[in-house]
């Protein structure tokens, strides 16, 4: 009996005053586990993390907007500079090949200085002599002819007409991609080529200030632009090349481009003619001319730097979309600065061409997402599968394979196409994302 009373006494409920105290204070995990944090503290931590994320998002958006504006500014000023430099109605410096060669030297010096100052930008590998001759040099040759002919055409055609014609480069990109087997031909890609072709025909058919020489030059530049894109993509598939960022690519490509353009300039423009012109008639005039030429090379380099940081923080999709609006902005500014006249048919042709470019990027973005989802669904992927490349025509193929590079497109004057290939930026974004995840993990703790 005594034992039974002790048992009942041990199982008596808590005093009434203790229950009242719990009800007044509210329940917390601390009442069950003394090592647990109060629920109020957990709620405050969650709100603080959400606030930090919102603040980080605003900061990231502001920085991205800054680089977009920088890219727009440098690219637009460079386009206006080129037209002003070579047009008969303005500065009238009639030697664009010589100017472009100096621009390459300036970019080489800037890129070399960047690699010297910032060790993280230095590539771990570099092309061998054989690779440089047979792989890097052809890309440098195509790039030189693209940029040289582009600037040469500005002597005789308007900046608006130049911009509209140069937007046809994507059609040549796809044609050379078929030739080099970088893309599998499909009705979708062929349709995009036809759309761009129709747009160019409409733009040319009603041009108010048409020049056959300038038109042939700019279309040849667009053709070489398509070739250099394909050659660049071939280079990117070889990691041993070391062209992992625009600074390294300029450092390796610019010397060959400068030499090629200097040789062509000597034959076409003539150095005797150049240095006996009114632009170098006195020492002061010569310094003034050289300063203007160096300014253009600096603009080109800073535009490429802006592209680099924009892609590093966002993606090639962002640059591609922004590139379409940049073309429209360039045409609008050229109308204000140089008085270029656009007809309704010109505008319709431009819209059709930009629609073709946007359609291509949308299809590539769709493939990009499909590839990532497919890659995430497979635990392990062998090396051959990872190196395989998607093509738009293979969307319906049951044996689709993941790709490490996705080719997007944007029309950018005097730039390096390596910037617009996603594989070239992957290592930088992966490192940045890893640091971001590490910071988030520390914050959650």
């Amino acid at each position: 009996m005594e034992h039974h009373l002790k048992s009942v006494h041990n199982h008596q409920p808590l005093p009434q005053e203790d229950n009242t105290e719990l009800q007044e204070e509210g329940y917390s995990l601390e009442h069950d586990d003394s090592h647990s944090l109060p629920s109020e503290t957990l709620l405050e931590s969650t709100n603080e993390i959400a606030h930090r994320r919102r603040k980080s998002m605003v900061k990231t958006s502001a920085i991205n907007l800054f680089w977009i504006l920088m890219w727009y500014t440098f690219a637009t000023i460079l386009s206006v500079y080129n037209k002003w430099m070579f047009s008969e109605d303005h500065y009238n410096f009639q030697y664009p090949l010589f100017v472009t060669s100096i621009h390459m030297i300036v970019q080489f010096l800037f890129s070399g200085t960047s690699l010297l100052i910032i060790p993280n930008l230095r590539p771990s590998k570099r092309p061998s002599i054989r690779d440089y001759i047979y792989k890097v040099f052809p890309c440098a040759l195509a790039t030189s002819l693209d940029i040289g002919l582009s600037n040469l055409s500005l002597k005789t055609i308007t900046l608006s007409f130049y911009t509209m014609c140069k937007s046809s480069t994507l059609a040549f990109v796809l044609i050379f991609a078929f030739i080099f087997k970088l893309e599998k031909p499909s009705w979708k890609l062929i349709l995009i080529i036809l759309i761009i072709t129709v747009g160019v025909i409409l733009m040319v058919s009603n041009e108010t200030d048409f020049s056959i020489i300038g038109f042939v030059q700019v279309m040849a530049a667009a053709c070489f632009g398509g070739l250099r894109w394909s050659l660049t993509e071939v280079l990117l598939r070889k990691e041993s090349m070391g062209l992992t960022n625009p600074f390294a690519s300029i450092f390796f490509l610019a010397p060959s481009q400068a030499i090629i353009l200097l040789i062509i300039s000597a034959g076409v423009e003539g150095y005797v003619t150049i240095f006996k012109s009114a632009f170098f008639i006195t020492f002061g005039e010569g310094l003034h001319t050289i300063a203007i030429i160096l300014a253009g090379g600096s603009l080109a380099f800073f535009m490429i730097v802006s592209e680099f940081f924009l892609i590093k923080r966002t993606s090639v999709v962002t640059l591609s979309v922004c590139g379409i609006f940049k073309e429209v902005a360039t045409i609008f500014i050229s109308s204000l600065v140089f008085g270029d006249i656009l007809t309704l048919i010109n505008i319709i042709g431009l819209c059709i061409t930009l629609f073709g470019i946007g359609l291509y990027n949308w299809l590539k973005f769709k493939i990009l997402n499909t590839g990532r989802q497919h890659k995430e669904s497979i635990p392990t992927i062998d090396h051959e599968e990872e190196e395989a490349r998607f093509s738009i025509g293979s969307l319906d193929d049951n044996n689709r394979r993941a790709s490490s590079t996705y080719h997007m497109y944007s029309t950018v004057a005097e730039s390096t196409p390596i910037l617009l290939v996603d594989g070239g930026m992957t290592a930088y974004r992966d490192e940045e994302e890893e640091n971001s995840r590490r910071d988030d993990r520390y914050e959650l703790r």
Side-chain angles (χ1 to χ4, degrees):
M1 185 70 178
E2 182 179 357
H3 175 73
H4 177 71
L5 290 174
K6 288 181 179 179
S7 177
V8 172
H9 178 74
N10 291 336
H11 291 81
Q12 285 181 353
L14 293 172
Q16 186 68 28
E17 57 182 7
D18 292 339
N19 288 332
T20 305
E21 183 179 353
L22 285 173
Q23 293 174 0
E24 290 177 356
E25 293 181 358
Y27 178 75
S28 176
L29 291 174
E30 280 188 310
H31 297 116
D32 290 340
D33 186 357
S34 59
H35 296 287
S36 297
L37 291 174
S39 56
E40 295 82 359
T41 303
L42 291 173
L43 182 60
E44 290 175 2
S45 300
T46 303
N47 292 336
E48 184 179 353
I49 291 172
H51 175 71
R52 287 181 181 177
R53 287 180 176 174
R54 285 194 298 269
K55 186 177 179 180
S56 177
M57 185 180 298
V58 172
K59 180 181 178 181
T60 300
S61 300
I63 295 175
N64 293 345
L65 180 60
F66 169 78
W67 286 116
I68 290 173
L69 292 176
M70 288 296 99
W71 179 58
Y72 270 37
T73 301
F74 288 123
T76 304
I77 293 176
L78 180 62
S79 297
V80 174
Y81 163 89
N82 285 333
K83 177 59 181 176
W84 172 83
M85 185 79 174
F86 309 126
S87 175
E88 294 181 357
D89 300 328
H90 299 90
Y91 194 70
N92 194 27
F93 192 84
Q94 296 291 298
Y95 315 105
L97 296 175
F98 173 76
V99 171
T100 308
S101 64
I102 302 301
H103 286 181
M104 295 302 168
I105 296 175
V106 172
Q107 293 182 49
F108 169 73
L109 294 175
F110 273 123
S111 62
T113 304
S114 301
L115 294 175
L116 182 64
I117 296 176
I118 308 174
N120 291 337
L121 294 176
R122 300 173 192 171
S124 58
K125 301 177 181 179
R126 62 185 62 187
S128 63
I129 296 177
R130 179 182 176 83
D131 287 336
Y132 194 92
I133 294 173
Y134 290 103
K135 297 175 182 178
V136 177
F137 183 78
C139 182
L141 177 61
T143 305
S144 301
L145 294 174
D146 174 17
I147 300 174
L149 288 170
S150 295
N151 290 340
L152 198 61
S153 67
L154 289 172
K155 292 172 59 177
T156 54
I157 63 175
T158 64
L159 179 58
S160 298
F161 187 62
Y162 162 83
T163 304
M164 291 187 290
C165 291
K166 201 67 191 292
S167 63
S168 66
T169 300
L170 177 58
F172 294 101
V173 170
L174 295 176
I175 292 173
F176 282 108
F178 295 157
I179 295 174
F180 288 100
K181 297 182 179 180
L182 300 173
E183 288 282 2
K184 181 180 178 181
S186 67
W187 67 268
K188 294 178 182 179
L189 293 179
I190 294 174
L191 178 62
I192 289 174
I193 293 176
L194 292 176
I195 290 174
I196 294 175
T197 302
V198 171
V200 172
I201 292 173
L202 290 176
M203 288 186 294
V204 173
S205 62
N206 202 28
E207 170 62 21
T208 56
D209 192 14
F210 182 79
S211 170
I212 185 63
I213 296 177
F215 174 70
V216 171
Q217 289 171 341
V218 72
M219 293 307 296
C223 180
F224 283 114
L227 176 60
R228 75 167 182 165
W229 273 74
S230 297
L231 293 175
T232 299
E233 189 166 355
V234 172
L235 288 179
L236 283 176
R237 291 191 173 192
K238 302 290 184 180
E239 295 182 1
S240 60
M241 291 296 172
L243 306 182
T244 54
N245 63 68
F247 301 94
S249 67
I250 293 173
F251 184 78
F252 289 119
L253 289 170
S256 297
Q257 294 171 0
I259 293 173
I260 292 169
L261 288 168
L262 284 172
I263 293 173
I264 297 176
S265 175
V268 176
E269 298 168 341
Y271 292 132
V272 175
T273 304
I274 294 173
F275 290 105
K276 282 189 175 182
S277 65
F279 298 97
F280 295 95
I281 194 170
T282 63
F283 182 74
E285 284 291 332
L287 288 178
H288 179 260
T289 302
I290 292 297
I292 293 177
I293 295 175
L294 295 179
S298 302
L299 282 172
F301 179 79
F302 289 125
M303 181 193 70
I304 294 173
V305 171
S306 301
E307 287 177 346
F308 171 67
F309 283 107
L310 177 59
I311 299 175
K312 181 183 174 183
R313 295 192 58 86
T314 57
S315 67
V316 291
V317 180
T318 302
L319 187 68
S320 299
V321 173
C322 292
I324 294 175
F325 289 102
K326 185 189 76 66
E327 301 306 300
V328 177
T330 301
I331 293 173
F332 175 74
I333 291 175
S334 64
S335 299
L336 295 178
V337 176
F338 302 114
D340 296 351
I341 300 174
L342 294 177
T343 65
L344 180 60
I345 296 179
N346 290 149
I347 296 174
I348 293 174
L350 175 64
C351 292
I352 292 175
T353 303
L354 295 180
F355 171 75
I357 296 173
L359 181 61
Y360 174 80
N361 286 333
W362 178 78
L363 290 173
K364 280 295 181 179
F365 180 67
K366 184 179 178 181
I367 292 173
L368 176 62
N369 287 336
T370 304
R372 284 176 176 172
Q373 292 173 3
H374 181 74
K375 198 171 183 179
E376 291 173 357
S377 65
I378 300 177
T380 57
I381 301 176
D382 61 29
H383 183 69
E384 291 183 359
E385 279 187 300
E386 193 171 272
E387 290 297 321
R389 177 177 178 79
F390 268 102
S391 65
I392 292 177
S394 64
L395 275 177
D396 299 327
D397 190 355
N398 293 328
N399 295 321
R400 287 182 300 221
R401 294 173 295 178
S403 171
S404 60
T405 58
Y406 299 89
H407 183 239
M408 304 294 292
Y409 180 79
S410 176
T411 51
V412 182
E414 200 163 350
S415 181
T416 48
I418 194 172
L419 290 169
L420 302 178
V421 182
D422 198 35
M425 297 290 107
T426 302
Y428 293 91
R429 283 202 298 273
D430 289 346
E431 181 181 354
E432 198 169 79
E433 290 173 1
E434 179 63 27
N435 294 334
S436 178
R437 284 196 297 269
R438 189 182 299 113
D439 293 340
D440 290 342
R441 185 166 67 250
Y442 292 150
E443 286 182 2
L444 289 172
R445 287 180 180 177

